Amino acid sequence: MKTIIKNIKWLLGCHDKAPARLCGKDMAVTPTLTDAFVAIGDGVIESFGPMSSCPAAKGDYVIDATDRFVMPAFCDSHTHIIYAGSREQEYEDRIAGMSYVQIAERGGGILNSADLLHATPERTLYRSAMGRVRQMMRGGTGAIEIKSGYGLTLEDELKMLRVATAIRDDAVISVKRTFLGAHAFPRAYRDNRDGYVRLITREMIPAVASEKLADYIDVFCDEGFFTPDQTRRILECGLEYGLRPKIHANELALSGGIQTGVECGALSVDHLEHVGPAEIEALRDSDTMATLLPGAAFFLGMNYAPARQMIDGGLSVALASDYNPGSSPSGSMQFVLSLASIKMRMTPVEAFNAATVNGAYAMGLNDSHGTITPGKRANIIITKPMPSLAYMSYHYTTDMIERVIFN
Ligand code: NIG
Ligand code: FE
């Protein structure tokens, strides 16, 4: 039995042959069809086209999308959805005037989440993270990356990655797992930072690799966190074990993180609130995706990444939620699209491409996700009736997603 979505008002992101990613000016357009259909069989997209050639036969399951937009599901390539408890006390502290860095320096922030995670059993972490996955799926997300990084000991990092692996095995949507032991320096290593780097390279990475618990490796390369030199040591070790980098860079300062990531062949460098001409130059002509996380800039009251300069400079930009308890407690990709357009001046089509085809690239899923293309997984959003794509991010607190299809 096939599933046929028919009478689609606008079908977006329908590429006969999908590009791996879109760069610069190419981000401003997406192939569209009006009065269209999509046919799905065995969990994959079989075909799409104008209604005049719709293949519907008796026995097919038919969805009528009159007045609706149909598009590929979002690919959220950067999240920290495995965590215990919540951090609204720090949110109140920031309202009272403290900064994210000050909170981290007094032992809060990521270390606060690490304490909570240490005290929480694996089963509880699994249940709460799965709840977030379901919530994100309802919001139109069809693939996610999940990071560790609230363990910060060998045992607790492995615990997080086991939870991520169980989610990958059980979830309906695709999941990629990233080892982020280098998220912060644990209290025991406050005055012995290189000692923690050695723990990561000598014990954590070999254990993660031998248990096959991760697809990628990440480091928080930024002022006050891991230096470019420490980052390089960790990433080079990860590469020896087959873990490609996807790193946090330039959230807090011009930290050298972007250059370090590009030099180490990172699949993506993420955050990028602090970017100048040298950083744009380093990214141009590289295979590294520039992934922007405007939810974190919004929640922490930071400057936004200069998306306009990056796209105008020819770069390939992706958008992700950064869903985490400290800097972005939301997995709403529709809100990310709104922030991208309202705060970073990305056009609605650029934001759509950044959250779909380029997001898929940023987690190595571009062969199977991110566009409406025959042979790709049928992970599809059907919107509520709306007049234009721009309406979706313009109407920024109204859920415009009526229905989602996975496989
Ligand atoms: O992407 N910048 C580092 N890591 C997370 C925040 C983690 C936290 O505060 O718990 C981020 O913003
Ligand atoms: Fe993050």
Side-chain angles (χ1 to χ4, degrees), residues 78 80 87 100 110 150 183 220 248 251 271 322 324 326-327:
H78 182 136
H80 310 249
R87 306 224 308 259
Y100 182 76
I110 294 165
Y150 294 127
H183 198 189
F220 187 8
H248 283 74
E251 175 185 1
H271 268 293
D322 197 17
N324 77 74
S327 70

Side-chain angles (χ1 to χ4, degrees), residues 25-266:
K25 281 195 197 63
D26 291 344
M27 287 186 67
V29 285
T30 186
T32 58
L33 271 181
T34 54
D35 195 24
F37 79 89
V38 175
I40 299 162
D42 285 332
V44 301
I45 295 162
E46 284 190 345
S47 60
F48 65 81
M51 272 311 288
S52 54
S53 58
C54 183
K58 237 179 127 191
D60 286 346
Y61 177 62
V62 177
I63 300 170
D64 189 337
T66 299
D67 293 336
R68 284 142 176 91
F69 282 60
V70 168
M71 57 182 79
F74 301 125
C75 296
D76 191 348
S77 64
H78 182 136
T79 84
H80 310 249
I81 56 163
I82 299 172
Y83 61 83
S86 53
R87 306 224 308 259
E88 69 276 20
Q89 180 57 52
E90 295 173 9
Y91 160 76
E92 291 202 51
D93 293 342
R94 279 189 297 100
I95 294 167
M98 283 184 84
S99 73
Y100 182 76
V101 169
Q102 285 169 332
I103 290 168
E105 277 166 355
R106 67 146 198 227
I110 294 165
L111 297 186
N112 182 1
S113 283
D115 292 339
L116 292 166
L117 185 125
H118 180 71
T120 304
E122 231 167 281
R123 225 159 25 100
T124 311
L125 291 172
Y126 173 87
R127 257 194 248 121
S128 62
M130 263 304 202
R132 290 177 199 116
V133 171
R134 280 191 289 274
Q135 176 196 30
M136 293 162 87
M137 287 167 62
R138 277 196 296 278
T141 296
I144 50 172
E145 182 253 21
I146 304 176
K147 298 175 191 296
S148 67
Y150 294 127
L152 309 182
T153 63
L154 174 63
E155 295 70 29
D156 288 344
E157 283 296 311
L158 295 179
K159 170 164 122 176
M160 283 191 81
L161 290 170
R162 278 196 296 269
V163 173
T165 303
I167 293 171
R168 180 201 63 178
D169 293 344
D170 298 348
V172 172
I173 60 173
S174 296
V175 172
K176 291 285 186 178
R177 307 151 305 163
T178 300
F179 167 60
L180 176 55
H183 198 189
F185 292 96
R187 284 181 202 94
Y189 289 87
R190 245 182 94 114
D191 302 315
N192 177 20
R193 293 186 161 204
D194 277 337
Y196 186 57
V197 173
R198 280 194 294 277
L199 179 72
I200 292 172
T201 57
R202 292 183 188 168
E203 294 184 37
M204 291 188 185
I205 292 173
V208 167
S210 86
E211 293 192 39
K212 295 193 171 46
L213 289 175
D215 305 294
Y216 298 109
I217 185 164
D218 191 349
V219 175
F220 187 8
C221 182
D222 226 317
E223 200 171 88
F225 290 82
F226 292 77
T227 64
D229 178 58
Q230 291 166 334
T231 301
R232 189 184 305 276
R233 269 184 273 156
I234 293 166
L235 297 185
E236 282 174 357
C237 175
L239 281 164
E240 280 175 35
Y241 285 87
L243 300 172
R244 189 166 176 196
K246 265 175 74 59
I247 73 167
H248 283 74
N250 297 47
E251 175 185 1
L252 307 173
L254 283 167
S255 61
I258 292 174
Q259 287 86 338
T260 305
V262 171
E263 282 158 25
C264 292

Side-chain angles (χ1 to χ4, degrees), residues 323-336:
Y323 196 168
N324 77 74
S327 70
S328 184
S330 162
S332 167
M333 288 300 283
Q334 194 188 318
F335 185 55
V336 167

